[in-house]
């Protein structure tokens, strides 16, 4: 029986990924900070799909988080067949008005944790000559983003990293896909303190969470390396290849204010 490890599973895309993977026959290992939320999701999915759901409550933004999580998984003798790196957060506002502790925490979670957990899980997948990895980036990965500069940069890393290891690991039977959502109805806008931003006010740009998660799952199964969620987002991402960089920066700055 295949098991999917999903980080950031207590809400938004992570919760939707949990539902989709359970529906498609996977047992689950769900990880996030809130044990109460994870327990409620686990109870619901076990009843709904009769799948085994293991809950691990952990703050993944700490430097030791990946190794500690991997030890807990191994201690429970759980074999991970699919890794969904969904955990991450953004922050809105001028770089110099944020605390560097918060900026550093974002880099740690969005970049360092993702890379280290991928390294640990993929090593076992390589031994088995099989596995699936789905990383969640963003359409922010295709451009710079004033007032969210660090967040955009971390997602650019996730996109580039995912494409690179997709080529490296394909010869070991490991599929790597990266999902690039645009604005999505999750807790992101609230957590990033941008409910009043121009981007949040343009509701026609915002997609529902479940269909976006489904696109990620389907892309993984189709062995598609890069999936941009939604045709409009695809057009916007492609436009950055041809538009002047100064114009891209100005538009992103306007939307993020």
């Amino acid at each position: 029986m295949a098991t999917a490890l999903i980080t950031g599973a207590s809400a938004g895309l992570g919760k939707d990924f949990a539902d989709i993977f359970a529906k498609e026959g996977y047992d689950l290992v769900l990880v996030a900070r809130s044990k109460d939320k994870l327990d409620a999701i686990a109870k619901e999915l076990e009843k709904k799909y009769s799948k085994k759901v293991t809950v691990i409550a952990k703050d993944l933004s700490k430097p030791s988080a990946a190794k500690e999580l991997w030890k807990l998984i191994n201690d429970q003798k759980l074999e991970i067949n699919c890794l969904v790196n969904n955990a991450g957060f953004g922050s809105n506002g001028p770089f110099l008005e944020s605390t560097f502790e918060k900026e550093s925490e974002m880099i740690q979670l969005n970049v360092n944790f993702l890379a280290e957990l991928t390294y640990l899980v993929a090593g076992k997948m390589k031994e088995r000559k099989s596995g699936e990895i789905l990383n969640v980036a963003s359409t922010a990965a295709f451009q710079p983003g004033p007032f969210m500069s660090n967040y955009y940069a971390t997602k650019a890393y996730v996109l580039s990293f995912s494409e690179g290891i997709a080529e490296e690991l394909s010869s070991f039977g490991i599929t790597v896909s990266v999902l690039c959502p645009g604005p999505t109805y999750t807790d992101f806008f609230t957590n990033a303190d941008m409910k009043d931003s121009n981007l949040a006010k343009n509701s026609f740009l915002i997609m529902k969470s479940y269909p976006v998660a489904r696109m990620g799952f389907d892309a993984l199964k189709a062995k598609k390396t890069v999936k941009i969620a939604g045709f409009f987002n695809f057009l916007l991402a492609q436009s950055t290849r041809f538009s002047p960089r100064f114009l891209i920066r100005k538009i992103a700055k306007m939307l993020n204010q």
Side-chain angles (χ1 to χ4, degrees), residues 9 21 48 56-58 119 141 168 180 195 202 204 215 233 245:
F21 275 87
K48 189 175 180 182
I56 299 177
K58 193 162 192 60
Y119 180 87
E168 292 185 33
C180 298
K195 289 189 296 183
N202 285 280
F204 73 94
M215 289 178 195
N233 288 324
R245 296 292 286 180

Side-chain angles (χ1 to χ4, degrees), residues 79-246:
E79 183 175 285
I80 304 303
N81 308 98
C82 179
L83 168 63
V84 182
N85 276 310
N86 171 71
F89 74 93
S91 177
N92 179 256
F95 175 66
L96 293 181
E97 292 183 14
S98 177
T99 65
F100 194 71
E101 287 77 14
K102 186 173 184 178
E103 298 295 315
S104 180
E105 189 176 81
M106 189 192 309
I107 296 170
Q108 174 60 38
L109 178 58
N110 295 8
V111 174
N112 293 346
F113 171 80
L114 179 145
E116 186 171 11
L117 185 62
T118 300
Y119 180 87
L120 294 169
V121 176
K124 283 293 184 182
M125 291 178 174
K126 181 181 175 181
E127 292 178 6
R128 296 195 304 267
K129 303 293 185 184
S130 67
E132 301 170 314
I133 299 171
L134 176 60
N135 292 331
V136 179
S138 167
T139 51
F142 296 92
Q143 60 194 305
F147 296 116
M148 298 189 74
S149 299
N150 224 352
Y151 174 75
Y152 278 53
T154 63
K155 292 304 182 179
Y157 172 87
V158 174
L159 174 60
S160 181
F161 171 70
S162 300
E163 288 192 86
I165 63 168
E167 290 298 318
E168 292 185 33
L169 300 180
S170 61
S171 60
F172 302 110
I174 302 171
T175 299
V176 180
S177 296
V178 56
L179 174 65
C180 298
T184 307
Y185 284 112
T186 65
D187 294 337
F188 180 86
F189 288 108
T190 300
N191 295 337
D193 193 24
M194 57 184 305
K195 289 189 296 183
D196 297 323
S197 67
N198 290 318
L199 183 58
K201 291 174 183 176
N202 285 280
S203 59
F204 73 94
L205 294 172
I206 306 176
M207 298 180 67
K208 292 182 179 179
S209 176
Y210 197 93
V212 171
R214 185 75 216 192
M215 289 178 195
F217 179 88
D218 290 344
L220 182 67
K221 290 302 175 181
K223 301 184 185 299
K224 184 176 179 63
T225 302
V226 180
K227 176 61 181 178
I228 300 170
F231 183 67
F232 187 68
N233 288 324
F234 175 81
L235 291 180
L236 288 177
Q238 295 306 310
S239 72
T240 63
R241 299 167 56 193
F242 309 107
S243 302
R245 296 292 286 180
F246 80 88

